[in-house]
Amino acid sequence: MSATTSPPSYDDVIASTCEVWSMMLGVDLDVLSNAPLIEGESITAVVTVTGGWNGAVLVKAGVETALQTGAIMFASDPGETSDEDVRDAMGEIANMIGGSLKDRVGPGHVISIPAVTEGLAYKVYVGHAKKVHEVGFASPDGVVILSVFDVGKPT
Amino acid sequence: MKVLIVDDSRAMRMIVRRTLRQAGYENITVEEAANGIEGIDMVAKFGPDLILSDWNMPEMTGLEFLKSLRASGNSVRFGMVTSEGSMEMRGQAEEAGALFLLTKPFGPDDFKTALSAAGF
């Protein structure tokens, strides 16, 4: 079991997120100085990481941005991309970013299967976790927000 | 060449298909399964030359799928395509009989290198 208990760094978050968008979607992201509020309906995909470090990685985007992202992943027209496909794509993105961050943190960590939520007004609670990073990224299709929560040691 | 892609994400199955083509594997027949249990059924029906499987899946993980195949005497060539890229998991996959472990995100060159080394 790993002795690492620290969450991934800000630089790790940027590197993992940009790498996934670039390699899997062919899209270069710009890092924003502040994570903006996403207004209107949005979709959030979550994976949890357990091991020496315990936390969660959340990827949030507006529905239109998520739809465009899903369409790129499926190589389909946005009009032909189903809600299920969009949820699947966002979940897989969270899975890849979470997996990458997990490996950057150190050995001895396990990642969950992604969970996805969507709607107009919702909150995502991660145990008694503390948000340690919230980074906004600009893509040609809109804003994406990557958040990392630190759960600390499970009681 | 017959390839079975096993992943619970339809998006990822599509990306693996696309990346195989981009890596130069044009003349292949591909079937898909969404987890290890479906994968076992497809192996019996399809008889793949190569299996590319995710690790984290509901019902049956990729590692359990691989172990189940080997326990039944099936020696089909098997590669993991997963976000689980740690050394310990590479070791587990190799010990169970996987020829390679490709980490997501990946590109065509990663596929070309891994599949060439596996004899394709």
Side-chain angles (χ1 to χ4, degrees):
Chain A
M1 184 61 72
S2 166
T4 304
T5 57
S6 301
S9 70
Y10 174 79
D11 288 344
D12 288 339
V13 170
I14 290 173
S16 292
T17 306
C18 289
E19 181 184 53
V20 166
W21 243 266
S22 172
M23 289 192 73
M24 303 314 289
L25 302 169
V27 172
D28 291 330
L29 295 177
D30 290 323
V31 182
L32 301 172
S33 53
N34 292 299
L37 190 68
I38 293 178
E39 295 184 354
E41 203 170 344
S42 66
I43 180 164
T44 298
V46 186
V47 291
T48 58
V49 178
T50 52
W53 172 63
N54 296 283
V57 177
L58 282 67
V59 184
K60 181 177 183 179
V63 286
E64 198 55 40
T65 304
L67 176 61
Q68 295 291 339
T69 302
I72 294 171
M73 284 185 83
F74 280 96
S76 63
D77 187 275
E80 296 169 351
T81 308
S82 70
D83 290 349
E84 187 180 343
D85 288 344
V86 173
R87 288 191 285 268
D88 181 17
M90 289 293 288
E92 192 55 38
I93 286 171
N95 180 47
M96 286 188 279
I97 295 173
S100 174
L101 288 172
K102 169 180 83 72
D103 290 341
R104 290 175 193 272
V105 168
H109 293 87
V110 176
I111 190 171
S112 73
I113 288 171
V116 179
T117 188
E118 61 191 340
L120 195 55
Y122 60 88
K123 290 183 177 178
V124 179
Y125 293 96
V126 185
H128 298 286
K130 181 177 72 174
K131 191 188 288 180
V132 288
H133 299 296
E134 185 173 68
V135 186
F137 297 87
S139 80
D141 302 311
V143 170
V144 176
I145 296 175
L146 200 297
S147 304
V148 176
F149 286 77
D150 183 16
V151 175
K153 285 196 171 183
T155 54
Chain B
M1 176 165 98
K2 294 195 286 185
V3 181
L4 175 62
I5 300 171
V6 186
D7 198 306
D8 56 320
S9 164
R10 199 170 82 81
M12 189 49 60
R13 298 198 299 269
M14 181 160 287
I15 287 172
V16 171
R17 259 182 199 259
R18 192 160 64 219
T19 308
L20 279 168
R21 283 201 309 271
Q22 291 167 344
Y25 295 93
E26 300 277 0
N27 297 318
I28 57 174
T29 306
V30 177
E31 289 287 349
E32 299 181 6
N35 59 55
I37 292 174
E38 286 186 16
I40 289 170
D41 281 348
M42 284 306 301
V43 168
K45 290 176 187 162
F46 180 51
D49 303 301
L50 172 68
I51 297 172
L52 298 173
S53 177
D54 187 20
W55 187 301
N56 272 329
M57 296 181 288
E59 308 293 338
M60 179 185 279
T61 69
L63 187 65
E64 291 166 344
F65 174 35
L66 172 56
K67 287 180 174 175
S68 174
L69 287 173
R70 294 296 184 255
S72 68
N74 190 313
S75 58
V76 61
R77 283 179 275 188
F78 194 107
M80 291 278 189
V81 182
T82 173
S83 54
E84 303 288 1
S86 66
M87 290 308 294
E88 63 198 302
M89 286 174 158
R90 286 179 186 279
Q92 285 180 48
E94 191 177 328
E95 192 178 323
L99 292 173
F100 56 84
L101 186 149
L102 281 170
T103 309
K104 302 172 188 173
F106 49 74
D109 288 346
D110 300 315
F111 268 55
K112 201 177 290 184
T113 303
L115 268 65
S116 295
F120 293 103

